[in-house]
Amino acid sequence: QRRDMGTFESFMLKEVLSLLCVFAVFIMAEPQCAPEESACSADMAPVSTLFDSVADEIGRPRESMKVYIDSLHDVGITTVQQLEALSPEEWNSLPIPKMYIRRLRHALETATKVEAQPLLALPGKQYNFNFQVSDFVVAGCPLYIHEVANSGRGTGFNIWDCSILLSFYLQQNIDVVAGRRVVELGAGTGLTGLSAALLGANVTLTDLPDVVTNLQENINLNRKCIKQNSGAVEAVALDWFVALQRGVDGLDKRLQEPFDVAVAADVIWVEELIEPFVATLTVLSKVNPNMVCFIAHQTRSTRADTKLFNQLKSKGLVVEGVTISSDVRQHLDDRFSIFKITSNSTVES
C-alpha cells in the first residue's frame, strides 16, 4: 500500500509475490483423490511435469526451487488465497499485474514437460581486495570504495567481481577511455567508472536514485586523485524502465549529450532487466551512433544470455567477445566474459 515505492522496489515485490504464487501452485496442483476417484486428476498435468515447465518459465533450477517450496509452503498457500480473493479495486492499488495469476493458470492448464536450460551455480567473490585501505591501485592511485555489503538495500551497494574484471581490462587498454566521455550503466558502487576516471576519462556514473548517494560518497573519496590524473566524474540518477517507456526524453539532460564509451559490469542478473537495459543502451547509441560499449558479464542462465544477445541484435547492435588476458582474468573461470557492443547503422532499430 506504499505510494512512495520506486520502480525497482515495485519490480522486486512483483518478483517475490509471483514466486510465492508458483510455490503454492506446486503444492496445490495435484488433488488428493481416493483410488476410485482417479478421474479427478485426469485433466491436470502431474506436479512433476508442471514443476519442470514453470521452472523453465521463470529460469530457476529444480533443486533450488525445492528448497524454496519447503520453506515457503504455508506462506505460499496463504499468498495465493489472498491474491485470488482481491477485488478489482484492491488489485489496482497494488504494483502487481494480474498477468502473474493468468500465467500460473495457463501453466496449470497447458503444462507439458520442457527441457529447462541450466541455471548455473554462482560462486562467491573471487577477488579479495580491501577497498577501504585501499590495496587496489589504478594509475598510481589507491581506489577507495564505500561498500554496504549484505545490508538488504539491494545489489547496488555491493562490489561485484565483474566490476574489478572490467577495471583491470581498462587499465590494460587505457586508450579506450583516456580523454573520452564515458557513462557507466548500473554503476552500483562505481568501481569501474571511477577506474576510468582515474585513467583520465570524463565519467558519468548512473544508477537508481537510492544508489546515487553512495556513488557520490565514493566520488568524494577519490576526487583528489581523479583530478590529479586529469579525469572528471559525476553521478546521475537513471532508471532503465523510464528509458524503456520514454526514450531519450526520459533521460536526465546530462545524459542526452553524446558519450564516446559506455561501460557496464554484471548488470543482467534477472531476465526482466534485459529489455530495459537494451532499450537504454539503444537510446544512448542513437544519441551517438559511434558509441562503443564494454560489458563485463557473468553467465547465470544460458537462456538469459540468449535473450540478451538476441535483443541486442534486434536493435541493430553488434556484439563481439573480447579476449581477456590471463593476468586480467586471473583465477576467474569462463562464466566471466567481456563483450564489446557497437551500433550497426545498416540494421533498423
Side-chain angles (χ1 to χ4, degrees):
Q1 295 177 355
R2 286 177 53 192
R3 300 304 179 189
D4 61 337
M5 185 173 290
T7 302
F8 179 75
E9 290 174 291
S10 299
F11 163 69
M12 289 308 298
L13 176 62
K14 287 187 289 187
E15 288 301 299
V16 170
L17 290 179
S18 66
L19 287 175
L20 289 176
C21 291
V22 172
F23 303 146
V25 166
F26 292 147
I27 296 161
M28 298 162 62
E30 195 164 31
Q32 300 298 314
C33 302
E36 65 273 17
E37 298 173 324
S38 58
C40 71
S41 61
D43 295 328
M44 181 168 285
V47 171
S48 59
T49 298
L50 175 64
F51 199 104
D52 284 333
S53 179
V54 181
D56 181 64
E57 170 70 19
I58 66 174
R60 290 185 180 274
R62 283 181 65 104
E63 292 73 18
S64 69
M65 291 179 73
K66 287 177 183 176
V67 175
Y68 288 126
I69 291 170
D70 290 340
S71 63
L72 295 171
H73 182 157
D74 295 334
V75 176
I77 291 177
T78 301
T79 300
V80 168
Q81 291 172 341
Q82 291 176 341
L83 289 174
E84 290 178 338
L86 290 177
S87 68
E89 293 75 18
E90 288 172 321
W91 269 108
N92 291 336
S93 71
L94 293 174
I96 311 165
K98 260 193 170 177
M99 69 176 184
Y100 282 106
I101 298 299
R102 290 196 297 268
R103 182 182 299 175
L104 293 174
R105 186 184 302 114
H106 177 73
L108 281 168
E109 294 171 350
T110 64
T112 54
K113 186 165 184 177
V114 178
E115 290 299 322
Q117 293 288 339
L119 184 71
L120 303 178
L122 301 183
K125 285 189 178 182
Q126 304 295 295
Y127 291 113
N128 185 26
F129 292 101
N130 186 336
F131 286 90
Q132 295 182 350
V133 173
S134 160
D135 56 1
F136 188 84
V137 178
V138 179
C141 292
L143 176 59
Y144 296 97
I145 296 292
H146 176 242
E147 179 183 24
V148 194
N150 303 316
S151 64
R153 296 173 64 187
T155 58
F157 296 87
N158 292 64
I159 295 171
W160 300 97
D161 288 327
C162 279
S163 60
I164 299 174
L165 174 65
L166 192 50
S167 172
F168 279 148
Y169 176 79
L170 296 179
Q171 290 177 61
Q172 280 205 342
N173 299 272
I174 298 176
D175 290 346
V176 168
V177 293
R180 299 183 184 276
R181 193 160 187 261
V182 176
V183 60
E184 182 175 10
L185 302 176
T189 61
L191 193 155
T192 300
L194 290 168
S195 297
L198 287 169
L199 295 170
N202 182 353
V203 178
T204 300
L205 306 174
T206 68
D207 212 311
L208 293 168
D210 62 322
V211 180
V212 169
T213 301
N214 191 56
L215 277 174
Q216 192 59 55
E217 182 173 344
N218 288 334
I219 289 173
N220 293 337
L221 289 173
N222 297 279
R223 190 182 298 279
K224 182 178 179 180
C225 217
I226 289 173
K227 184 176 180 180
Q228 173 186 310
N229 285 11
S230 302
V233 63
E234 64 177 344
V236 177
L238 173 60
D239 186 332
W240 301 342
F241 287 87
V242 175
L244 173 64
Q245 296 165 0
R246 299 178 54 196
V248 69
D249 293 334
L251 302 182
D252 185 288
K253 290 189 181 299
R254 289 169 289 182
L255 301 176
Q256 295 181 18
E257 298 295 325
F259 289 95
D260 303 303
V261 180
V263 293
D266 205 0
V267 295
I268 301 300
W269 49 276
V270 288
E271 284 190 39
E272 286 77 8
L273 294 175
I274 293 174
E275 184 179 8
F277 171 74
V278 172
T280 303
L281 194 58
T282 302
V283 168
L284 293 173
S285 295
K286 286 181 178 178
V287 176
N288 178 15
N290 295 317
M291 186 186 77
V292 179
C293 179
F294 291 89
I295 296 179
H297 178 67
Q298 180 181 354
T299 291
R300 290 179 167 85
S301 163
T302 53
R303 188 181 73 173
D305 285 1
T306 299
K307 182 176 179 179
L308 171 63
F309 298 136
N310 285 344
Q311 286 206 17
L312 289 168
K313 182 179 179 180
S314 73
K315 297 297 182 181
L317 298 171
V318 180
V319 182
E320 306 172 63
V322 171
T323 301
I324 306 174
S325 63
S326 58
D327 53 335
V328 168
R329 181 178 289 280
Q330 296 188 18
H331 48 276
L332 296 183
D333 58 33
D334 58 7
R335 284 174 286 194
F336 293 83
S337 307
I338 296 178
F339 297 100
K340 178 181 178 181
I341 301 172
T342 52
S343 176
N344 180 357
S345 58
T346 65
V347 180
E348 273 192 12
S349 59

